[in-house]
Amino acid sequence: MIEVKGLTKYFGPVTAVNDISFVVDKGEILGFLGPNGAGKSTTMRMITGYLTPSEGTALIGGKDIVSRGLEARQSIGYLPENAPVYPDMTVLGFLNFCAEIRGFSGKDKHHRVEEIIERCFLSEVRQQSIDTLSKGFKQRVCFAQAILHDPPYLIMDEPTDGLDPNQKHEVRTMILEMAKEKAMIISTHILEEVEAVCTRAIIIAEGRIVADDTPKNLKGMSRLHNTLSLDLEAKEGVDFQKELSTFSWIREVEALGARGGDEAVLRLRIRTGNPPWDPERELWRFCCQKGWTVVSLFREEGRLDEVFRMITAPDRGN
Amino acid sequence: MSLKHVKAIVKKELSGYFGSPVAYVFIVIFLLLSGFFTFSVSRFYEMGQADLRAFFEWLPWIFLFLVPAVAMRLWAEERRIGTLELLLTLPVSITELILGKFLAAWLFICFALALTFPLVITVTYLGDPDMGPIFCGYLGGVLLAAALLSVGSMTSSLTRNQVISFILSVVICLFFTLAGWPPVTEAISAWAPAWLVDLVAGFSFVTHFQDLQRGIIDLRDLVYFASVVFFMLFSTAVVLDNRRSL
């Protein structure tokens, strides 16, 4: 369990992180969201012991990162931002070094390193010096370093930053594979990633936690949540908005204009008040009765990016 | 403190030296310079003496520029490429890190120094040298390297810029070297009381190196070098720790 208690960091007069507390249990993948400069990396650096907190502390499996830093760090795997690795070393040399520092030796070390090279798809570059590798490989080398000792706590700062879509998918698959037996914190500003892997998301802005919930509930905060999106074939002389407003459970019908440049199709967004159990079906039947051609009809789940903007930059609105 | 950790760090550092051109450039330049000063400037052959004084007299000056060049990357480079974050979040203590890095650089310079062995072979072939001063001279060279390196380690921890680290450490080492250089001590003794001259000279690398070079192993000289190294490495730890809680 990772327990973060009132972490605070001042850089001179600036408060980079302001009284952040949360708990991550085994099996949880916590997504750490926030605009650039919100304090994500600083928080992670404090949890991993790179920076000393100005106030507060974090307990890693019950061990205080400030007073028992060495023990706490033993059970953490950390992938820093931009995946720093030694350019002059070979992949094998670097991973051997990490294994030695983590206390493996002899055959045990050999097996560990070989296994991790397999797992992170590094076999073809094992003897190559790291500065000759592409960004994706470097990221994987650093990722390998973080999971080498099979740590119960994994902290990753933008693990998929700079990777191509295939590589992103690979990294996410690996994260999900490990999810059951670990507690993980992942920072990212790719919102689809949060939906894809995280069981919970914390949004921070200006050093404070502004939201802490599951990605699904966060989406529920969206203004679009549970609105119906209805595309109809345009019909001369029919005012769709007015006709639809006759339903008691429809609060507002907003015309969004022609759909994607197709003049013949009108897009309507319908905000519901107290909808029946199955508003889509009811709406569909109504349109059929009227003889309108429905091109598409679906219920919006809400968008994380909209919620993100709403929470982190409320003045700029939409 | 775990020796295993220190060993792993030493290994990693050395593989870094020999994995990049740094090691080879350093060794070649060091051997060229020491050869040039010993044979061409100090006229080793013409002096007709079977000792290595010519070499050891130049050694502090060659080290003055080359050792900071090795030390400048110790921490500044790690900070620049971001690997310091990796190192400091590994389960190793700062003491282990500093010792490991220092020992690796020291071993490396000792290795370069050992490559001057043809000089020893030359004097034993040409004459019948007193091996005592030669051994002590090498011991002095090794200790001098340690002192210069520790200064370099401290300046390197201050910055992410290797050039700044290099210049700072050359200036500090220059001060430590010049303080005991005869022309400087003479200039000071013209107006200062004798105790002050001795105090300033007592801080100098050269004063203590000279004793060893003459073949005298004085406990005071050993204590001097050990305390310089300890103080500078301790300062490195303080600087690194401060940076963490900035």
Side-chain angles (χ1 to χ4, degrees):
Chain A
M1 190 162 75
I2 302 175
E3 285 176 88
V4 174
K5 291 180 174 172
L7 271 189
T8 303
K9 184 76 183 170
Y10 306 113
F11 290 121
V14 182
T15 309
V17 173
N18 195 347
D19 194 20
I20 280 188
S21 306
F22 58 82
V23 173
V24 188
D25 272 317
K26 186 175 148 182
E28 262 191 303
I29 305 181
L30 176 72
F32 219 48
L33 305 176
N36 286 329
K40 298 189 297 276
S41 291
T42 308
T43 307
M44 295 187 133
R45 285 173 171 174
M46 286 192 282
I47 298 173
T48 53
Y50 178 53
L51 294 174
T52 314
S54 307
E55 278 162 37
T57 187
L59 303 182
I60 311 293
K63 285 163 190 140
D64 191 309
I65 194 71
V66 178
S67 57
R68 293 165 77 190
L70 212 62
E71 291 166 79
R73 292 203 296 269
Q74 272 164 357
S75 52
I76 302 181
Y78 179 39
L79 173 68
E81 197 178 4
N82 300 325
V85 271
Y86 292 98
D88 294 333
M89 295 178 91
T90 63
V91 172
L92 195 62
F94 175 68
L95 292 177
N96 272 328
F97 163 67
C98 296
E100 279 163 31
I101 287 283
R102 297 287 185 184
F104 299 105
S105 58
K107 269 191 178 160
D108 196 18
K109 177 183 94 176
H110 183 74
H111 288 312
R112 280 273 163 176
V113 171
E114 287 307 317
E115 188 205 318
I116 219 75
I117 284 179
E118 278 300 305
R119 237 174 112 191
C120 297
F121 310 102
L122 292 167
S123 310
E124 49 182 307
V125 296
R126 50 189 299 147
Q127 295 292 357
Q128 231 165 297
S129 105
I130 291 174
D131 61 352
T132 63
L133 300 181
S134 67
K135 166 106 193 177
F137 270 120
K138 280 184 194 162
Q139 187 89 14
R140 265 185 269 170
V141 173
C142 205
F143 189 81
Q145 163 277 129
I147 60 172
L148 178 80
H149 51 299
D150 197 19
Y153 309 104
L154 203 51
I155 294 169
M156 294 185 273
D157 202 346
E158 299 189 4
T160 59
D161 185 45
L163 300 183
D164 70 34
N166 294 337
Q167 293 164 336
K168 275 183 191 165
H169 179 74
E170 273 166 29
V171 169
R172 279 178 207 157
T173 315
M174 283 164 77
I175 290 173
L176 285 172
E177 275 170 13
M178 295 183 297
K180 268 190 199 135
E181 68 268 27
K182 296 189 197 308
M184 283 193 244
I185 304 178
I186 297 174
S187 93
T188 180
H189 42 232
I190 307 168
L191 295 160
E192 41 163 314
E193 194 160 290
V194 178
E195 301 193 58
V197 300
C198 296
T199 55
R200 201 172 117 211
I202 281 183
I203 301 182
I204 67 172
E206 289 164 5
R208 290 175 177 281
I209 294 183
V210 287
D212 178 355
D213 216 326
T214 61
K216 204 175 156 219
N217 286 351
L218 281 177
K219 280 201 291 192
M221 292 165 68
S222 167
R223 284 185 305 126
L224 298 178
H225 180 63
N226 267 348
T227 58
L228 295 166
S229 188
L230 174 64
D231 291 355
L232 291 170
E233 213 170 77
K235 222 172 176 186
E236 202 76 24
V238 182
D239 187 350
F240 294 124
Q241 267 169 281
K242 201 175 168 194
E243 300 231 19
L244 282 168
S245 301
T246 54
F247 277 99
S248 60
W249 52 268
I250 289 182
R251 204 193 293 157
E252 189 197 348
V253 180
E254 189 184 349
L256 298 179
R259 183 187 70 167
D262 184 355
E263 286 296 327
V265 178
L266 281 177
R267 168 157 288 187
L268 301 171
R269 180 176 291 154
I270 298 162
R271 241 171 261 286
T272 55
N274 186 20
W277 178 70
D278 196 353
E280 291 99 324
R281 190 175 302 193
E282 201 151 316
L283 207 57
W284 188 279
R285 276 206 201 106
F286 176 75
C287 292
C288 289
Q289 276 168 16
K290 292 275 179 187
W292 301 341
T293 314
V294 177
V295 179
S296 86
L297 170 62
F298 62 93
R299 196 193 319 206
E300 293 265 8
E301 281 183 40
R303 288 194 217 116
L304 214 44
D305 61 340
E306 195 227 322
V307 177
F308 182 80
R309 270 203 307 273
M310 186 178 81
I311 291 174
T312 58
D315 332 330
R316 271 163 276 168
N318 295 313
Chain B
M1 200 177 69
S2 142
L3 278 181
K4 261 189 191 163
H5 287 169
V6 177
K7 206 180 114 198
I9 295 160
V10 169
K11 227 170 91 185
K12 177 227 124 199
E13 285 287 304
L14 284 178
S15 81
Y17 288 142
F18 289 98
S20 68
V22 177
Y24 307 102
V25 171
F26 177 87
I27 288 172
V28 169
I29 299 283
F30 171 69
L31 293 179
L32 279 179
L33 281 181
S34 53
F36 171 73
F37 282 114
T38 310
F39 290 103
S40 302
V41 180
S42 284
R43 306 185 172 277
F44 176 74
Y45 289 126
E46 287 88 332
M47 282 206 306
Q49 281 181 330
D51 61 27
L52 286 181
R53 266 186 57 194
F55 168 64
F56 287 124
E57 254 162 25
W58 283 109
L59 193 62
W61 300 100
I62 300 172
F63 268 179
L64 175 61
F65 289 97
L66 288 186
V67 174
V70 172
M72 69 182 183
R73 65 203 294 278
L74 282 179
W75 304 100
E77 174 83 351
E78 299 262 5
R79 202 182 285 283
R80 193 179 62 83
I81 59 178
T83 43
L84 192 62
E85 188 168 354
L86 208 64
L87 271 191
L88 291 180
T89 52
L90 287 172
V92 290
S93 67
I94 284 203
T95 319
E96 289 164 352
L97 275 177
I98 290 175
L99 267 187
K101 277 180 162 281
F102 171 76
L103 283 179
W106 197 22
L107 276 178
F108 168 66
I109 290 175
C110 291
F111 173 69
L113 195 59
L115 286 182
T116 59
F117 72 92
L119 285 174
V120 183
I121 295 174
T122 312
V123 280
T124 31
Y125 176 74
L126 292 175
D128 184 21
D130 183 353
M131 290 313 273
I134 293 182
F135 171 77
C136 289
Y138 272 105
L139 177 67
V142 165
L143 293 176
L144 182 65
L148 292 162
L149 264 180
S150 62
V151 173
S153 166
M154 191 274 284
T155 60
S156 184
S157 66
L158 287 171
T159 169
R160 69 174 64 229
N161 187 321
Q162 296 191 29
V163 177
I164 293 176
S165 154
F166 176 75
I167 292 173
L168 274 180
S169 104
V170 168
V171 167
I172 296 174
C173 292
L174 187 67
F175 168 77
F176 273 119
T177 307
L178 284 182
W181 197 42
V184 175
T185 44
E186 277 159 29
I188 303 176
S189 62
W191 52 268
W195 63 267
L196 188 64
V197 178
D198 284 345
L199 184 72
V200 173
F203 271 111
S204 169
F205 292 152
V206 172
T207 324
H208 297 277
F209 178 61
Q210 267 167 356
D211 286 345
L212 283 157
Q213 192 192 319
R214 287 193 201 104
I216 310 157
I217 302 182
D218 189 333
L219 188 65
R220 279 176 300 178
D221 297 325
L222 302 183
V223 169
Y224 167 78
F225 281 113
S227 41
V228 169
V229 169
F230 178 80
F231 176 77
M232 285 298 170
L233 293 186
F234 186 74
S235 315
T236 309
V238 170
V239 172
L240 287 175
D241 224 32
N242 255 333
R243 288 247 156 180
R244 271 183 156 179
S245 47
L246 196 73

